Amino acid sequence: MLIYNTKNHRKEEFVPIEPGKVRMYVCGPTVYDQIHIGNGRTFLAFDVIRRYLTYKGYEVTFAQNLTDVDDKIINRANEQGRTAAEVADEFSKAFIEQMHRLGVLDPDIRPRATREIDAMQEMIQILIDKGHAYVVDSGDVYFAVRSDDRYGVLSGRDVDQLRVGARVEENTDKRDPLDFALWKAAKPGEPSWPSPWGDGRPGWHTECCAMIHHYLGTPIDIHGGGQDLVFPHHENETAQAWCAWDDELARTWMHTGMLRVEGEKMSKSLGNFYTLKEVLDKYPAGAVRILMLQTHYRSPLDFSFERLDGAVGTLERLQTCVKNLRWAAHNSAQDGELNDADRALGAAIDTAVADFTTQMDDDFNTAGGLAAIFALVTAANTYLDQAGADTSTALALRASDAIVELADVLGIQLDRESASDLPAELVDLARAQAGYEGDSAEEAAEVLLQARQEARAAKNWALADAIRDGIAALGLIVEDTAAGARLRAKKD
Ligand code: AMP
Ligand code: ZN
């Protein structure tokens, strides 16, 4: 399996540090506002990477932080007359909610900067003791970039060149403009914690590095984020790790391309953004995922609502195919010998699964993975057109399961049991027999099964039979299983 490693500028065979296990970390958001869909793209890309590694059989431990103390949060709090903690709490919850709506799996570990101050102070102290950091009169602590000969290796930057371009800040006692803050002395009205260097708060680059070391152990296998984090954030993170613990922070560094609108990076500061929330209020998560996964994660992604509308159609095509396959399977009488058409569909399923893996093994080529799924959809649609009443139940179910499972690796959730499996007449039956008042066939089915159960318990055999017969008249049978009764289509 090949993964592009930013550090070495090439795709490399992925070999985890501990066989069968992957420890990965992706820098999380600064929680001062709703995230935009550019941020969403990065988090979604790593969700798929994690899902695929799990699909390949790796035991993945995934950590992602919440940056809940930062200038942006403090500024927002001051504007709104609230505390920084209140702002951070509101937008931490908002972030997690939108991630759930997008179908992004929760990290195994979600550390929050404000709760990990000890780990950060411990790392800063090691850096000071080893001569890589220094305390100035104000109480700030800085990392001495020049003390690390490897500085610049990750992002391919030369320290002397950087020096020429560096902005010389006013009111700082940094020894070198390239040095960055590990600890910022407290200012009035800002949250702060006690430390050996005086009250203050951690710097952003310090946070991820210390939390990775604390929760996952360094080095980790994969560290990710958007391309805009390569420098200075990740360069600074790995510099701290080398200097504190004599090894790099991560073996493989992965970075996502920027989501753009009309050729420009989507960002809060440019004002050209759509929040993930507003997009998910209008579009299904599956469509957002399809749009984003049609482009390779390292390439820039050009967002437009026209493309998103197109993705809605693509999602429907997937869902309709699954629905038709299941419907055909329910209604088919054919369960015996396979014919040529069945065998062709069987081969298409195997090819799709193999192609999907080949594409995804090549640095998570999700566009290729989607194409493999759609090749199967095309084959399945052709099969359904040709097979008619002769559909093989087993093959139709295998094809629909394969589509659902491969889509799931990309985090695209399809309904396995689709609504149209159940006839709408169930609603009338439930109204007549069980006093149901809604109009969903699924609910009606549950209400009817429940009513039949209760009638039987009460030895009201007439009612129980009437319900069963009414269901049978709709071409369904009641099947009593260990997990309770359920409906299925009659095969003959
Ligand atoms: P931030 O909260 O600004 O640190 O951003 C959270 C994550 O979103 C980081 O990994 C950024 O690299 C990423 N990101 C920010 N803007 C974009 C964009 N336009 N497209 C893709 N990823 C982005
Ligand atoms: Zn980070």
Side-chain angles (χ1 to χ4, degrees):
M1 178 175 177
L2 297 174
I3 303 185
Y4 186 92
N5 190 349
T6 304
K7 186 179 70 183
N8 299 328
H9 317 286
R10 57 180 157 81
K11 289 187 205 172
E12 297 170 346
E13 185 61 33
F14 176 64
V15 183
I17 296 165
E18 211 183 315
K21 296 192 175 164
V22 177
R23 286 172 296 136
M24 71 187 277
Y25 182 93
V26 173
C27 298
T30 305
V31 281
Y32 71 105
D33 206 343
Q34 287 284 349
I35 63 160
H36 61 62
I37 53 173
N39 309 129
R41 189 236 179 150
T42 289
F43 300 134
L44 186 147
F46 286 103
D47 179 58
V48 171
I49 288 165
R50 173 198 190 179
R51 284 172 184 265
Y52 186 67
L53 289 166
T54 306
Y55 174 75
K56 289 283 283 185
Y58 290 109
E59 190 186 305
V60 181
T61 308
F62 182 86
Q64 180 173 64
N65 66 312
L66 292 171
T67 298
D68 61 353
V69 56
D70 172 90
D71 291 341
K72 289 187 196 131
I73 300 173
I74 295 168
N75 293 342
R76 179 62 52 99
N78 290 340
E79 278 160 32
Q80 299 182 341
R82 298 199 285 168
T83 66
E86 281 164 355
V87 171
D89 189 50
E90 174 184 348
F91 292 107
S92 298
K93 287 193 182 119
F95 169 69
I96 293 168
E97 186 187 339
Q98 299 311 317
M99 288 293 101
H100 288 169
R101 289 177 82 194
L102 186 58
V104 170
L105 299 173
D106 279 333
D108 300 299
I109 306 156
R110 195 186 319 262
R112 292 163 201 246
T114 55
R115 299 183 196 166
E116 310 295 337
I117 304 291
D118 287 353
M120 296 182 219
Q121 292 188 354
E122 215 171 279
M123 183 185 84
I124 295 170
Q125 191 60 56
I126 295 174
L127 291 171
I128 295 172
D129 294 346
K130 290 175 108 180
H132 293 291
Y134 55 93
V135 192
V136 299
D137 290 344
S138 64
D140 289 344
V141 183
Y142 291 101
F143 182 86
V145 165
R146 294 262 172 192
S147 75
D148 173 22
D149 338 326
R150 302 173 205 87
Y151 193 85
V153 167
L154 173 67
S155 59
R157 280 168 167 80
D158 176 76
V159 177
D160 293 319
Q161 292 286 324
L162 282 172
R163 181 76 214 265
V164 174
R167 190 164 54 96
V168 180
E169 293 158 57
E170 285 172 17
N171 308 322
T172 143
D173 347 335
K174 278 199 240 179
R175 291 181 193 158
D176 186 320
L178 292 181
D179 294 351
F180 58 90
L182 300 173
W183 186 260
K184 299 179 177 180
K187 297 205 188 83
E190 290 190 359
S192 66
W193 291 262
S195 86
W197 323 290
D199 288 1
R201 62 185 165 98
W204 174 39
H205 312 302
T206 306
E207 167 188 337
C208 293
C209 187
M211 295 196 281
I212 290 173
H213 185 70
H214 182 70
Y215 283 102
L216 298 174
T218 48
I220 55 171
D221 296 293
I222 296 176
H223 188 351
Q227 264 157 16
D228 58 342
L229 296 191
V230 178
F231 187 85
H233 186 52
H234 288 169
E235 190 71 59
N236 290 352
E237 283 184 4
T238 199
Q240 294 168 86
W242 267 118
C243 293
W245 308 300
D246 307 309
D247 204 339
E248 60 193 340
L249 185 59
R251 294 282 185 253
T252 304
W253 292 81
M254 297 182 71
H255 294 96
T256 50
M258 293 294 107
L259 182 142
R260 310 189 297 201
V261 243
E262 281 151 21
E264 273 207 281
K265 176 189 168 188
M266 177 170 288
S267 74
K268 281 271 157 65
S269 52
L270 289 174
N272 61 345
F273 64 90
Y274 303 108
T275 65
L276 182 59
K277 179 179 184 306
E278 67 186 312
V279 170
L280 290 175
D281 282 346
K282 294 195 203 105
Y283 289 87
V288 176
R289 295 186 84 108
I290 286 174
L291 167 75
M292 293 192 176
L293 298 174
Q294 278 165 340
T295 301
H296 188 267
Y297 77 86
R298 276 190 293 117
S299 305
L301 187 154
D302 287 304
F303 176 83
S304 73
F305 282 102
E306 289 78 47
R307 290 193 64 197
L308 187 50
D309 289 331
V312 171
T314 309
L315 176 66
E316 276 165 12
R317 204 168 151 237
L318 266 182
Q319 183 63 72
T320 305
C321 180
V322 168
K323 200 162 77 177
N324 287 337
L325 283 165
R326 296 201 69 88
W327 189 227
H330 279 313
N331 289 298
S332 166
Q334 200 252 82
D335 250 338
E337 291 272 297
L338 299 186
N339 58 31
D340 285 350
D342 299 334
R343 276 189 287 273
L345 181 60
I349 297 169
D350 295 342
T351 305
V353 173
D355 285 354
F356 180 84
T357 308
T358 307
Q359 296 296 334
M360 292 292 285
D361 275 353
D362 182 11
D363 193 27
F364 308 96
N365 183 356
T366 50
L370 278 170
I373 299 175
F374 277 101
L376 176 55
V377 167
T378 304
N381 287 340
T382 306
Y383 174 78
L384 289 173
D385 285 347
Q386 288 170 356
D390 235 9
T391 309
S392 152
T393 303
L395 262 301
L397 288 180
R398 254 188 75 204
S400 88
D401 284 351
I403 294 170
V404 170
E405 272 153 34
L406 294 179
D408 185 59
V409 178
L410 302 179
I412 301 164
Q413 309 295 331
L414 302 174
D415 288 340
R416 229 175 245 269
E417 305 292 342
S418 61
S420 76
D421 281 352
L422 295 172
E425 291 87 344
L426 278 173
V427 172
D428 298 329
L429 186 63
R431 286 182 181 162
Q433 301 282 12
Y436 176 60
E437 288 177 345
D439 47 22
S440 138
E442 283 76 44
E443 268 174 24
E446 276 180 35
V447 167
L448 284 166
L449 290 173
Q450 181 68 29
R452 173 172 167 270
Q453 188 63 28
E454 281 164 13
R456 282 157 60 116
K459 300 202 181 346
N460 183 348
W461 307 116
L463 178 59
D465 288 351
I467 292 173
R468 191 201 53 214
D469 294 346
I471 289 172
L474 298 175
L476 298 166
I477 48 176
V478 179
E479 204 171 53
D480 288 299
T481 73
R486 66 162 185 233
L487 295 184
R488 61 171 292 178
K490 268 194 230 164
K491 284 225 185 119
D492 46 358

